[in-house]
Amino acid sequence: MAKEYETVIGLEVHVELATKTKIFCGCSTAFGAAPNTQTCPVCTGMPGSLPVLNKQVLEYAIAVGLATNCDITRYSKFDRKNYFYPDNPQNYQISQLYLPICRNGGVEIETEEGGKKTVGIHEIHMEEDAGKLIHDEWEDCSLVDFNRSGVPLIEIVSEPDMRSAEEVIAYLEKLRLIIQYLGASDCKLQEGSMRADVNLSVREIGAEKFGTRTEMKNLNSFKAIARAIEGERERQIDLIEEGKAVVQETRRWDDAKGESYPMRSKEDAQDYRYFPDPDLVPIMVSDEMLEAIKAKQPEFRTEKMKRYKEEFDIPDYDIDIITNAKHMADLFEATVAICNQPKKVSNWLMGETMRLMKEKEVDVEDLHFSPENLAKLIALVDSKAINSSVAKEVFEVMFEEDVDPEKYVEEKGLKTVNDEGALRKTIEEVITNNPQSVEDYRNGKEKAIGFLVGQTMKAMKGKADPGLINQILKELL
C-alpha cells in the first residue's frame, strides 16, 4: 500500500516597518531612491559610528505583538549576529536572539474545511535589514546598494503548525491584514516589504517525529509561495521513496523554472557567535508605554465586518471585499460619513473602482480619489444632474486625477438636459425618423423602445435622463 505523507510547515516572515527613518539612524527609508543615496556612517557600518534605536520601531513591534496575542517582553535587548557577506556592511547584523520583544502568540485562520485553527507564533523580534547586491551579468560583476541597509524589520517566527499551502496563504493573508490595519507596513510582497521564508518537512502520517526540514527563500508572491510548497513537498517525498536522505539546507526557489536549488547547507548549530550588542542599551517597556500602545490599537477587520453588518445594511459579499484592505474600508467609511448612502458608495467601490484597478493595474493603497469627490458624484446622480453613463465617464477622470466632479461636469457641459420642451422636440424627431421601430413597438415588440431611447440619447449627446425619455416616448407613442 502506498505510504501517505503529511507536510509540516513553519514560516519566518520579515516585514519592513513603515517608519520614515531607519532603525538606528536618521536616513530615509523611502522605496526606489537612486543607489547609495540614503546612507550615513551608521548604516554603512563605519568604525566608531553609534546606533540609536528608533522608538517608532519598538512601538510598531509591540503593536503587532499585541494584535497577534503575544506576551510582550518587558526587558529585552539587541544582539549581534556575526557573519560575513558583501551586503552586510558591519559584518554583523543587529537582531534579537536571547530576549525577543514578543513571544508565545498566535493567530486564528480558517481551514479549507471551513473550520478554525490557531497558528502559533514562537516569537517576533526586531532587526535591521541588509543592503542589496545587484548582479550585473553584462559587466560580470556585483554592485552593492546600501539604501536598504538598516531599514527596520520585524521577523515573525511561526510554530510548525501549518499543513498545506492553503493554510500558509491563509496565515499570511491574516498577518498582512493585521499589519496593514495597524499601519505598521504596507506589506507589498512585490517591493519586498513582506518576505516569507518557508521551512518545510514531510513525514509519514501518524509519525511522531518531524522529518528533516529545508528552508526556501526568494518568495515574493502568494502564488510563488504556494508553488514552492508543492514543489518542495514532492521533491522530499520522491527522495524518501527512493530511500535517499533529505539534506537540511537553504534552497532558492526559481519561480520561472518551477524548481528550487540548494544555496547552502544549514547546520542547526551554525555559529553566528551571538552576543549582546555593546552599543545599544537594553529596552525596558513600562506599564505606561504598553497601555498607551494598547489604547491606540485600531478596529481590526473582524470587528469592522461585524459593525458594517449592523450599521450599514450592505451584503456580506460587499463587506468581505471592502474590509479586505484598510484603505478601501477607510474610503468607504469616510464617503458614507459625508453622503449617508452606504449601498451606493459600496456599489461604486465594488463596481467601477475594482474594474479600473484591474484594468490600470493599480493597488488599493494607491487609490487617490477623495471621499468628498465620490460623495459629490453620488449626489450629482441622485439629483439627476447627470445620468449614470456620464457619471462613469466622470469617475474615470476622478480615478486618475481626483478632479472635483461638480466643476468637471460644469466645465465640460455634461449636465443632463432637463428642459422638457427641448427633449420632447428631439423625441418627436426620433419618432419621425424611425418609422420601422415605431411600427415594431406598436406591434408589441417591447425591445423596440430601447432602440428609440438610444437614438434620443445619441441626439442629446448622452446628456438626458433615460427614465424621462422612456416616459415621454411611451406617452407620444
Side-chain angles (χ1 to χ4, degrees):
M1 203 175 109
K3 290 176 183 170
E4 290 208 10
Y5 293 91
E6 174 179 61
T7 319
V8 176
I9 308 164
L11 292 189
E12 291 164 25
V13 177
H14 287 88
V15 176
E16 269 182 20
L17 298 175
T19 53
K20 296 269 185 285
T21 55
K22 294 185 181 180
I23 184 167
F24 300 121
C25 66
C27 291
S28 166
T29 56
F31 180 77
N36 298 307
T37 53
Q38 296 177 169
T39 56
C40 73
V42 175
C43 58
T44 50
M46 296 295 166
S49 62
L50 287 171
V52 177
L53 176 62
N54 179 340
K55 187 181 176 200
Q56 178 78 70
V57 173
L58 176 64
E59 288 175 356
Y60 277 152
I62 293 172
V64 174
L66 289 170
T68 51
N69 310 299
C70 291
D71 300 329
I72 306 302
T73 311
R74 305 302 285 271
Y75 175 85
S76 78
K77 48 178 180 262
F78 283 100
D79 306 294
R80 285 189 183 180
K81 177 183 182 179
N82 295 276
Y83 64 96
F84 175 77
Y85 199 68
D87 64 5
N88 188 23
Q90 304 110 310
N91 292 333
Y92 58 82
Q93 178 194 30
I94 301 176
S95 182
Q96 292 189 301
L97 174 73
Y98 301 109
L99 295 168
I101 189 67
C102 314
R103 289 185 267 204
N104 308 328
V107 296
E108 195 176 66
I109 61 166
E110 286 191 11
T111 60
E112 297 147 84
E113 297 78 45
K116 295 207 182 311
K117 169 177 184 170
T118 298
V119 175
I121 288 175
H122 179 71
E123 67 174 65
I124 299 176
H125 58 258
M126 298 176 282
E127 61 185 25
E128 57 180 348
D129 209 345
K132 191 176 182 185
L133 285 178
I134 290 109
H135 305 294
D136 187 334
E137 308 273 324
W138 189 254
E139 295 286 340
D140 192 25
C141 66
S142 291
L143 305 167
V144 68
D145 175 9
F146 287 126
N147 281 353
R148 200 175 67 184
S149 178
V151 164
L153 296 176
I154 50 173
E155 182 175 341
I156 304 167
V157 183
S158 84
E159 299 290 357
D161 288 343
M162 289 159 277
R163 296 292 175 267
S164 67
E166 286 77 13
E167 287 185 6
V168 167
I169 303 301
Y171 168 73
L172 285 170
E173 287 278 17
K174 187 75 182 253
L175 274 188
R176 182 165 74 167
L177 270 173
I178 287 171
I179 295 165
Q180 284 177 341
Y181 265 84
L182 283 165
S185 172
D186 58 16
C187 294
K188 288 183 178 175
L189 277 86
Q190 69 282 13
E191 286 183 10
S193 59
M194 185 180 191
R195 316 195 275 279
D197 297 340
V198 175
N199 290 294
L200 184 149
S201 64
V202 296
R203 61 179 173 185
E204 272 189 62
I205 285 182
E208 287 287 302
K209 223 170 134 240
F210 287 147
T212 305
R213 68 186 165 88
T214 59
E215 180 180 19
M216 262 181 308
K217 291 190 176 293
N218 191 35
L219 303 164
N220 60 359
S221 77
F222 286 164
K223 283 184 179 144
I225 290 166
R227 283 193 286 264
I229 287 169
E230 287 308 317
E232 182 59 14
R233 170 190 154 84
E234 282 167 23
R235 189 189 73 86
Q236 290 190 18
I237 291 173
D238 288 346
L239 284 172
I240 295 165
E241 300 266 290
E242 287 165 16
K244 295 175 183 167
V246 175
V247 179
Q248 181 168 344
E249 61 190 354
T250 301
R251 298 180 71 83
R252 188 178 178 87
W253 175 253
D254 185 329
D255 203 41
K257 291 182 182 156
E259 57 187 52
S260 65
Y261 51 91
M263 283 167 72
R264 53 178 178 266
S265 75
K266 190 150 186 169
E267 299 302 322
D268 267 341
Q270 188 171 19
D271 189 10
Y272 287 121
R273 300 193 325 283
Y274 277 100
F275 62 86
D277 191 290
D279 290 339
L280 285 155
V281 293
I283 301 155
M284 313 282 286
V285 178
S286 66
D287 292 351
E288 293 78 29
M289 183 179 190
L290 202 53
E291 286 313 312
I293 295 171
K294 271 183 190 163
K296 283 201 301 206
Q297 294 288 83
E299 174 188 47
F300 288 104
R301 187 188 185 197
T302 320
E303 299 103 75
K304 221 180 245 309
M305 288 174 87
K306 198 168 160 238
R307 178 169 66 83
Y308 280 18
K309 203 168 171 57
E310 290 161 7
E311 208 173 297
F312 297 127
D313 189 31
I314 56 173
D316 289 351
Y317 181 74
D318 294 27
I319 293 173
D320 197 49
I321 303 275
I322 290 168
T323 56
N324 200 27
K326 182 172 186 293
H327 185 63
M328 188 73 96
D330 289 347
L331 200 52
F332 171 76
E333 286 182 42
T335 314
V336 172
I338 301 165
C339 69
N340 198 20
Q341 301 255 33
K343 186 64 187 114
K344 285 179 180 166
V345 176
S346 162
N347 289 348
W348 276 104
L349 295 178
M350 304 277 296
E352 287 302 289
T353 305
M354 300 293 260
R355 180 182 71 78
L356 290 168
M357 276 167 61
K358 195 173 174 189
E359 196 179 290
K360 298 180 189 298
E361 295 180 349
V362 170
D363 269 353
V364 69
E365 286 78 30
D366 302 324
L367 291 176
H368 55 252
F369 60 85
S370 68
E372 292 76 13
N373 285 341
L374 181 54
K376 280 181 186 176
L377 186 68
I378 290 169
L380 285 169
V381 179
D382 277 355
S383 66
K384 295 202 162 55
I386 58 173
N387 59 39
S388 58
S389 55
V390 170
K392 284 179 183 174
E393 192 185 310
V394 175
F395 181 75
E396 194 150 345
V397 184
M398 225 169 82
F399 184 91
E400 294 276 5
E401 302 162 35
D402 194 27
V403 294
D404 180 323
E406 289 173 357
K407 285 183 183 157
Y408 186 81
V409 165
E410 204 61 60
E411 282 164 16
K412 303 282 178 199
L414 296 171
K415 268 203 165 150
T416 299
V417 178
N418 281 329
D419 175 351
E420 210 176 305
L423 193 53
R424 250 173 209 280
K425 200 162 168 268
T426 307
I427 293 171
E428 281 164 3
E429 283 168 18
V430 168
I431 288 173
T432 311
N433 297 337
N434 294 283
Q436 186 57 54
S437 295
V438 172
E439 183 75 17
D440 290 349
Y441 177 70
R442 287 188 171 136
N443 290 335
K445 279 194 183 165
E446 280 292 322
K447 277 186 180 167
I449 203 159
F451 174 75
L452 296 170
V453 170
Q455 291 301 305
T456 311
M457 284 298 276
K458 205 167 161 189
M460 299 296 295
K461 298 195 170 67
K463 296 182 292 191
D465 174 10
L468 188 57
I469 296 174
N470 228 314
Q471 194 186 317
I472 298 172
L473 262 168
K474 285 185 174 166
E475 181 192 313
L476 293 174
L477 291 170

